[in-house]
Amino acid sequence: MDAIDSVVDPLRDFAKDSIRVVNRCHKPDCKEFTKLVVCTAIGFVVMGFVVFFVKLIFIPINNIIVGAT
């Protein structure tokens, strides 16, 4: 019985914690959703520029190392 309890107790605690999290969650209002969308879009744009500039820098360096044909 002790072996079964050692398996079931963590699952029971996880289920209780999951139910508590779901009950505390709420649907975002329009202002909160707009803020979330804007922040996500800014993150995508920033990451895109970072990748673009890294590519822009390393393509000529790669051509110098490998040698242009």
Side-chain angles (χ1 to χ4, degrees):
M1 194 67 173
D2 191 37
I4 294 173
D5 286 339
S6 67
V7 173
V8 174
D9 284 340
L11 294 176
R12 187 177 299 134
D13 291 338
F14 177 74
K16 284 181 184 179
D17 291 340
S18 299
I19 291 170
R20 188 179 307 135
V21 167
V22 169
N23 287 337
R24 279 199 52 87
C25 291
H26 67 281
K27 196 171 187 177
D29 57 351
C30 185
K31 183 179 177 183
E32 187 178 5
F33 182 73
T34 305
K35 189 174 183 180
L36 179 81
V37 168
V38 168
C39 290
T40 304
I42 290 171
F44 272 106
V45 169
V46 168
M47 289 303 293
F49 276 118
V50 167
V51 170
F52 175 74
F53 286 118
V54 167
K55 271 287 223 209
L56 192 67
I57 292 169
F58 281 107
I59 287 175
I61 293 174
N62 192 21
N63 286 338
I64 292 170
I65 293 172
V66 174
T69 56

